[in-house]
Amino acid sequence: MSPLSLNPVGEENLSENHERVVPIRCELIDCIKGIRLPLLCLGAIIGALLVRVPQNEWLWALALFWLLAAALYHRLMLLMALVITLVLFHGLAQRPTPLADGLAKQNVTLEGRIVSLERLDGRARLNLAVTRCEAAAELPGCHRLKHVRLDWYNPPAVSAGDQWRLTARLKPPHGFLNPGRFDYGAWLIEKGFGATGYVRDAHEAVRLQPGAGPALTQRWLKTRVNDDFTRRWLQALTLGDGGALEASQWKLLRETGTTHLAVISGLHVGLVSGWVLLLGRLVARLVQPYCWRMVLWPWGMAGAAAVLYAGLSGFAPPAVRAAIMTLIALWSACGRHSPGVWQAWWLALLVVVVSAPLSLVRPGLWLSFGAVAVLIIAWRWQEKRVWWYTLLRSQGLLSLATGGATLLVFGQMASLSMLTNLIAIPWVSMVMVPLALLGWLLSPVPGVGQLLWWLFGQAAHLFETVLEQVRQWQPDWQPAADQIWPFAIMLLLICLIWLLPGLARFWRWLASIMAVSLFLGANQASMLRDGELSLVIHDVGQGQLIDIRTAHGRWLYDSGPRSRSGFMAITTLWDQPQHFDGVIVSHGDSDHAGGVSVLKGLHKVDRWWAPLSETIDVDALTPCRAGLSWRADAVNFTFLWPRSTATLPAAENDHSCVLLIETPRHRFLITGDGGQNVESRIVAHYRKPVDVLVAGHHGSHGSSSQRLVDMLKPARVIYSAGYLNGYGHPADSVVRRFHHVGSCQWNTAEDGAITVTSRATGLRVVSPRPAGGVEPCRPGVESGR
């Protein structure tokens, strides 16, 4: 047979193989046609996540997605790869460029416009849109800096819109990171700030151009509302100006779990749009009685109202997200070539992520879409009941879902928040917001707008009065760190049980009781037992505050720093009064004893220890002396220093109370600010290895001597130091000493609060920033310099 005679056979075999492969590929692609929008949403989410990875990694990932799309050669896969690319580059363009590390705490010259400002005691806090940034020639450039947050102490008369040239000292965005507390650093990045700092040489600052003063809406409001309280609430609810409310009002809202009601939210945007739609359809029924159901202009009016209401807040991200969701919901409900309700949900998520990729990591986005999903399920699968029962059931399910999600995201929840929101949400949405908006609409009519706003003020007063009463009634309970996940999952499970269709009420109640039983069992397993210990070395900046817990006891070692402005980091740690069996103040320096006044005024302390009676101003102080010990829940506490008043060194740091904590399995040592002289006296009497050492004096080169390191050989070392602190803690020499003996090292400035738990199963160290190097630990940490 000639070679030419083989060609037709070969081509036939290739054709058969092609026909065999192509249908398989088409079947694989066609099976996902019903989930096109979810797949595109997945692509958008992947693109938004890639924004946060290094460039060399996202380049490889992007190339892999395009290769996969090309191999499948299907338009859906190609479109998905295109969405990933668009979202990635859009997110990279939106992401703020942080200040270079080399410019930290260096003077730079800024020119820019004051976008907004907040007046505080003795200072102004500015949001400055930077148009020009200059640094010294030998320093890195800062021309890519776009927005900074500045404190200006004793400022001149400044107002929003002013153009200024000033000198500032900056640092990259950073904040305290403690369990269940607000992540200020992440918030700064999400808001677009590339740096924070303060104005230097204020007398040399130059106003380049005055601003136009307050916005027209604020000036209009000020001329027609004399009551400051009413004006503040109007600005918050209708203009999206959260800064108008005082700190005490935000504290009240936070402690009652109602902060989401104090700003323009999705609920308010949807409510306004719904009222406008209802009004438009009533008018259409009067004007076009035979075809009013078919006209589209009421739906257009409702959409325009949603956009305009979002514009009142300056198109803040939450309001824009709410407007997008409302517009797509209106399209879905109007019935004109519109998607189904779930397709609309996916479409809204896709549009929001594409338009604002950085919002993907904001809890508000997932809380909003999760709440809408719960409402969709609750209303689509609801039993035929009277309207008030349907509303009450939906609100209850929504409270369970948002309560569990809030607990997972923020680590805390007001104990009566679910019950409070059952009343607060309808009151704000159905009474306060309509009165406020009708007041704006009718404010040009003499007397009418003022009357509506007066009624709004009375409603706001009643709202705060009820919240204050709720705050007094609700128990001072917050789930502990190890209770957060079980409790949140219990709430979400109960919500899911009552959402599922087709279940008899008996089985719903039985399943709910089982969910509560599972939580109680998990909670019991997570609680500390006799002989177990938990230490939280809190992230408080350049200072120290350690929360020590046993099965039934709780102590504090130091109270954190107090800054020159009067700020105390301890005020950010707890919303409710705490009870401590004892507080040990290592010595009188402000970075260790700065929060004593807060402990005395807001919290309950059974006993105080300090080196000398004059260290802190408290009643019934017990001097900490070597050999003094106590036992609680099979855990021993012993002071190793100071020995007596007569042997106290002259240096204040060397007065520090040195505390040894021993469980049946592990040893912990906290040395305060004691120097190498004190350490030599300690190791002369105590030479056992320790499992955890809180490094002396924040890792200063004057502490953690070679002799101490060699004697104790700590398996884990923790530095309590401030971010970019001026002392360079921890020192390079100290880091190397511990590294040479094989110690795992953590630094609160980089890792956030460090939680150490000693149990029968072993010793565990965790941190809010896993990338910082937590279990398995890295060989060392970076020096503070």
Side-chain angles (χ1 to χ4, degrees), residues 282-302:
L282 288 175
V283 173
R285 190 168 186 175
L286 294 175
V287 177
Q288 299 171 281
Y290 299 106
C291 59
W292 66 275
R293 296 179 184 274
M294 303 300 295
V295 295
L296 291 178
W297 59 265
W299 301 91
M301 284 178 55

Side-chain angles (χ1 to χ4, degrees), residues 574-591:
W574 307 291
D575 291 328
Q576 303 293 336
Q578 306 292 303
H579 173 257
F580 301 99
D581 294 271
V583 171
I584 303 156
V585 180
S586 63
H587 62 295
D589 284 359
S590 61
D591 58 334

Side-chain angles (χ1 to χ4, degrees), residues 630-652:
W630 69 96
R631 183 177 175 86
D633 305 320
V635 177
N636 294 321
F637 297 79
T638 307
F639 287 116
L640 302 182
W641 182 264
R643 296 202 168 277
S644 67
T645 306
T647 59
L648 276 178
E652 178 72 24

Side-chain angles (χ1 to χ4, degrees), residues 403-705:
T406 302
L407 196 58
L408 286 177
V409 173
F410 300 108
Q412 58 178 333
M413 182 183 69
S415 52
L416 295 181
S417 62
M418 289 187 288
L419 295 177
T420 304
N421 278 291
L422 286 175
I423 301 173
I425 290 177
W427 181 258
V428 173
S429 303
M430 306 300 292
V431 178
M432 293 176 62
V433 172
L435 285 174
L437 295 178
L438 284 174
W440 276 107
L441 184 65
L442 301 176
S443 60
V445 181
V448 178
Q450 286 84 341
L451 174 62
L452 290 170
W453 279 340
W454 178 83
L455 292 173
F456 168 84
Q458 299 306 306
H461 274 291
L462 180 60
F463 178 64
E464 281 203 14
T465 302
V466 173
L467 290 186
E468 183 62 44
Q469 191 63 52
V470 170
R471 179 165 64 175
Q472 295 177 10
W473 285 344
Q474 71 180 359
D476 296 336
W477 175 84
Q478 283 291 332
D482 49 7
Q483 296 175 331
I484 289 175
W485 275 91
F487 189 62
I489 291 174
M490 179 197 73
L491 294 177
L492 295 175
L493 273 177
I494 294 175
C495 176
L496 180 62
I497 289 166
W498 287 89
L499 277 176
L500 290 174
L503 287 179
R505 188 166 298 178
F506 169 79
W507 296 111
R508 294 186 194 274
W509 281 108
L510 181 61
S512 300
I513 294 172
M514 291 177 64
V516 174
S517 301
L518 287 174
F519 161 71
L520 294 176
N523 182 42
Q524 189 67 28
S526 66
M527 292 178 63
L528 293 173
R529 296 180 174 82
D530 286 350
E532 296 181 341
L533 180 76
S534 171
L535 262 72
V536 180
I537 298 89
H538 282 286
D539 181 11
V540 292
Q542 187 61 21
Q544 187 165 272
L545 189 152
I546 304 174
D547 195 341
I548 307 167
R549 296 176 187 252
T550 62
H552 305 98
R554 188 180 182 191
W555 297 263
L556 275 189
Y557 185 96
D558 284 334
S559 61
R562 178 188 179 95
S563 67
R564 287 179 295 177
S565 65
F567 171 74
M568 290 170 281
I570 193 174
T571 59
T572 67
L573 297 180
W574 307 291
D575 291 328
Q576 303 293 336
Q578 306 292 303
H579 173 257
F580 301 99
D581 294 271
V583 171
I584 303 156
V585 180
S586 63
H587 62 295
D589 284 359
S590 61
D591 58 334
H592 293 253
V596 168
S597 60
V598 173
L599 289 171
K600 288 170 54 180
L602 300 180
H603 305 284
K604 182 181 179 182
V605 179
D606 291 344
R607 191 174 183 182
W608 296 86
W609 285 277
L612 297 170
S613 58
E614 60 267 21
T615 303
I616 52 175
D617 183 19
V618 296
D619 297 329
L621 185 143
T622 303
C624 52
R625 292 292 178 264
L628 178 64
S629 64
W630 69 96
R631 183 177 175 86
D633 305 320
V635 177
N636 294 321
F637 297 79
T638 307
F639 287 116
L640 302 182
W641 182 264
R643 296 202 168 277
S644 67
T645 306
T647 59
L648 276 178
E652 178 72 24
N653 286 344
D654 289 342
H655 295 179
S656 295
C657 303
V658 177
L659 180 65
L660 173 69
I661 308 174
E662 296 175 292
T663 73
R665 302 167 189 86
H666 304 108
R667 299 187 186 92
F668 303 77
L669 184 63
I670 308 173
T671 61
D673 276 359
Q676 295 187 7
N677 179 42
V678 171
E679 292 173 352
S680 64
R681 302 190 190 187
I682 293 173
V683 296
H685 299 84
Y686 182 84
R687 301 185 180 184
K688 296 178 182 179
V690 297
D691 298 280
V692 177
L693 171 67
V694 180
H697 203 183
H698 322 286
S700 164
H701 63 83
S703 299
S704 302
S705 64

